[in-house]
Structures are given as C-alpha cells and as structure tokens.
Amino acid sequence: MQYRLIRDVVQERPTSRTWPVVPYGSRLGWYLLATQEADGTWPGGMLAVPRGREVAGVGTIPAYRRLLELGWDPEAPGLSATKRLLFRLLAEDDDPGYLAELRPAGDDEDLVLRGRLLLREAAAAALAQAGHEADPRLRGAARRLVARVEAFFRSPLALKPWVRLGNQHVLAPEVAAPSFHLLIMLGHMPQFRSEHSEFMERLFTYLTQPWPRQAAIQQVGAHLVEQPHLVLGDFLATRSALDSDMPSALAWLEAMARIGFLDRHEGWVKLLDRTLDDRDRRKVWTPPRSVVMPEQVPVWAWPVMPLSDASVGRVPSTGFSIDVTFRLALIARLAGRAIDLV
C-alpha cells in the first residue's frame, strides 16, 4: 500500500535498490501466484469473483488485475504467462476452451459470440492497465470495440434501447452499450482517447443520463441473458449508491478521473468531496454507519480492494480504512487536485 501511495500519489522514485521488490512482500500477491496454473490461468475460470474476503476461486482476469493493483511488474514470470493468454482472448480465439465458465451448453452460437466479446473487453481492460497501450494488437481491438459502441450511440437505439417481450422490457439484441471493462480500458489509454475525442464526448453525454430502472437483461438469440457488465447511464447518481458498494463506487470514480470526466460532473465531484469529509484528523477515512462492504463485488471492481494484508472484515475495518484512504488519494491525484502530505 505504501509502495502504491509513493509511486502513484506522491509520484516519487526512491533510489533504494530494494524499492522495485517492495510489492512482492504482499502475502495476498503470493497467495494468488501460488494458486495460478502453469498456463497462466486461475482455477476460477476467466471472470469469477469470490464472495466476501475470500480470494480462492477467483478467475484469471480479476486475479491478474489484482496483482497489477498490488504493484507487481506486468513482466514478472507469472503475469507474463497470463499476458500471452490475454492477447489470445483479445483476438477472440475460437478455441471453445478459452470461454471457460462462459462456455454455453451445446456451444450455442449466439452465446459463444457473446462470451468472446465479453472476454475480449475484459482482456483489453487488463492489458491496458498493464501498460500495453502502444501494442498494435490492443489498439486494433480498442478501435473495433469503440466503433461498435459509437455505432450504437449514433443509432435510434441509444434513445430507446428497450423492447417488450411478454411482460418485461429487455435490451434489444442490437444494443451495444459500453461496458465497465471498456471504461477501464479507456482510462489507461490516454493517447487513444485523444485520437477519439468525438467518441469521448458522446460517451460523456451517455454516462451522465439517468440509469434506467429496468435490469440489464438482453435478448441474445433465443435467450434472455443478464448483462451486469453493461453501463446504462450514471452508475453513481446518489450517495446511497456509493454507500451500498464502496469498492465499485471508488472504481467508478477512479475510471472517471482517469478518463477526465470526473471534474466535469458536479454530482461525482460532490460524492468525492463528501467521502473525503469522512476522514478523521489524521486524514484517514473512517466509514460512516451507512457504508456497507458488500459480500459480492462485480468483476470489474473486485481488483481494487482490499490490497492490504490486514484482516478486512465488514465495515468498520482498519483494513478497508487504509484501502479507501489510498484510493481517495489516488482519485484526487488523477483528478488534478493538490495533494497535501501529512
């Protein structure tokens, strides 16, 4: 945690020879590495996330991203093996084995295509976070992902994405809403964002619209499939949304800060300020009674916390206080705010 704080918030590079190996003191990191398979995968499949404080059973992509969050070098042997796998997912390899837990019974073509797209977006987010923005394979995949969403933004479906099936409203098959994985990818690709400024403006407009009441269920071929990875508007519109899932709220604010949207949205700025106000005299975040750390965190947000090796049960918790304090400092730095070291 101190390593990430010095590297990413204070933005200093100590001269000590032991500095680069500091992240490898993480017990959590070594546990994740010990459960990794020889081919770079984890036993949990591709996108599985465990409940509560557990990390056993985690999928490959969230495990890889958690190690990056812990400060591990993307070229370290274990992560390097996973990187090769992620590039295969980026190319939507047609080997059905790569679908892991997303492989449908009977290899239904529509569900197979849906699974490949989802893994491609998640792999792109992980590779972007690992610093591979300049790789032409990632840039090519990013262009195709953005073009798909941009076509949706320009279509009438952007205003009316719902169709009625029986007694419920579901997303039409052609709806190509942005995903949380896409936002994370964009947050770590500054040069790519500058090359697609028109799309970024459309994206900002989309992200500031109210989140619909309907659940994110989409018609995929002959199936109705939950699509919790899709972003349907403003994910963080109220304080209750923040209090009910602090890891996801912080992951959202960080993504918006990296993309450059945070300071353009008054509501997100107010939520950040209110959370900063929950710090004590030592500037350590202290959880209000209204804050709950949910037992189940979505796959796109799971890697952000906890990073500390301390016991991190339900709030209030010293471990979560440390994690949230660090994440708030990182978000403030990314948003261009002055950082006072105390």
Side-chain angles (χ1 to χ4, degrees):
M1 190 70 69
Q2 292 174 342
Y3 175 90
R4 287 291 312 275
L5 185 70
I6 294 172
R7 187 191 73 178
D8 299 332
V9 179
V10 180
Q11 296 182 342
E12 290 184 355
R13 295 291 187 273
T15 57
S16 170
R17 292 183 179 180
T18 61
W19 174 247
V21 302
V22 169
Y24 303 104
S26 166
R27 295 195 302 272
L28 173 59
W30 283 107
Y31 177 84
L32 284 171
L33 191 66
T35 58
Q36 185 188 34
E37 303 287 355
D39 62 357
T41 63
W42 270 262
M46 289 298 172
L47 295 176
V49 291
R51 297 181 64 85
R53 293 170 292 174
E54 297 296 322
V55 293
V58 66
T60 299
I61 294 177
Y64 178 84
R65 288 191 52 221
R66 176 69 71 89
L67 287 170
L68 295 178
E69 290 285 350
L70 288 168
W72 285 44
D73 187 343
E75 299 304 322
L79 274 68
S80 182
T82 305
K83 179 185 71 174
R84 292 192 293 271
L85 168 68
L86 293 175
F87 274 115
R88 293 197 70 171
L89 295 177
L90 202 66
E92 295 186 294
D93 193 298
D94 59 6
D95 184 340
Y98 284 107
L99 288 171
E101 76 276 16
L102 297 179
R103 183 175 181 178
D107 289 338
D108 181 280
E109 183 178 357
D110 294 307
L111 295 180
V112 166
L113 292 175
R114 179 252 180 190
R116 287 178 185 162
L117 174 62
L118 176 52
L119 290 178
R120 186 184 209 184
E121 291 185 327
L127 289 168
Q129 185 174 353
H132 296 291
E133 180 183 9
D135 192 293
R137 293 169 292 179
L138 176 56
R139 291 180 62 83
R143 282 195 297 270
R144 290 188 288 274
L145 292 172
V146 164
R148 179 175 177 271
V149 176
E150 187 164 27
F152 164 67
F153 284 165
R154 294 177 179 272
S155 73
L157 283 172
L159 297 176
K160 295 183 178 181
W162 304 95
V163 295
R164 187 174 182 86
L165 286 181
N167 61 352
Q168 65 179 324
H169 286 85
V170 300
L171 293 169
E174 301 81 11
V175 168
S179 70
F180 291 103
H181 302 298
L182 181 70
L183 299 183
I184 293 169
M185 181 200 78
L186 291 171
H188 291 278
M189 298 182 70
Q191 182 61 40
F192 182 86
R193 293 197 309 270
S194 67
E195 296 167 1
H196 295 80
S197 56
E198 184 177 346
F199 168 79
M200 298 305 298
E201 287 303 311
R202 292 180 183 273
L203 179 63
F204 177 75
T205 300
Y206 178 85
L207 296 180
T208 56
Q209 69 183 14
W211 193 285
R213 295 181 179 180
Q214 297 95 326
I217 298 176
Q218 187 170 24
Q219 184 180 2
V220 180
H223 310 273
L224 295 181
V225 182
E226 292 185 1
Q227 302 275 53
H229 61 285
L230 294 183
V231 182
L232 301 179
D234 185 354
F235 174 76
L236 201 61
T238 64
R239 179 63 187 255
S240 62
L242 181 145
D243 289 347
S244 63
D245 187 349
M246 182 62 71
S248 297
L250 293 173
W252 176 268
L253 291 174
E254 180 180 339
M256 294 303 99
R258 288 186 182 278
I259 292 174
F261 289 169
L262 178 58
D263 60 355
R264 297 175 57 184
H265 191 285
E266 182 180 358
W268 300 336
V269 170
K270 286 183 177 179
L271 287 176
L272 175 60
D273 289 340
R274 289 185 63 179
T275 308
L276 288 169
D277 289 341
D278 292 331
R279 295 172 298 167
D280 61 20
R281 288 180 297 177
R282 296 177 302 151
K283 302 303 180 182
V284 175
W285 178 78
T286 304
R289 293 182 179 179
S290 58
V291 171
V292 175
M293 294 295 178
E295 286 295 313
Q296 190 73 50
V297 177
V299 59
W300 62 274
W302 186 86
V304 304
M305 62 185 289
L307 301 184
S308 59
D309 285 328
S311 176
V312 287
R314 293 180 64 82
V315 173
S317 161
T318 302
F320 276 134
S321 292
I322 295 171
D323 276 282
V324 175
T325 301
F326 158 70
R327 197 63 58 174
L328 290 172
L330 177 60
I331 293 167
R333 168 64 76 183
L334 293 170
R337 298 193 179 192
I339 303 295
D340 295 325
L341 302 179
V342 295

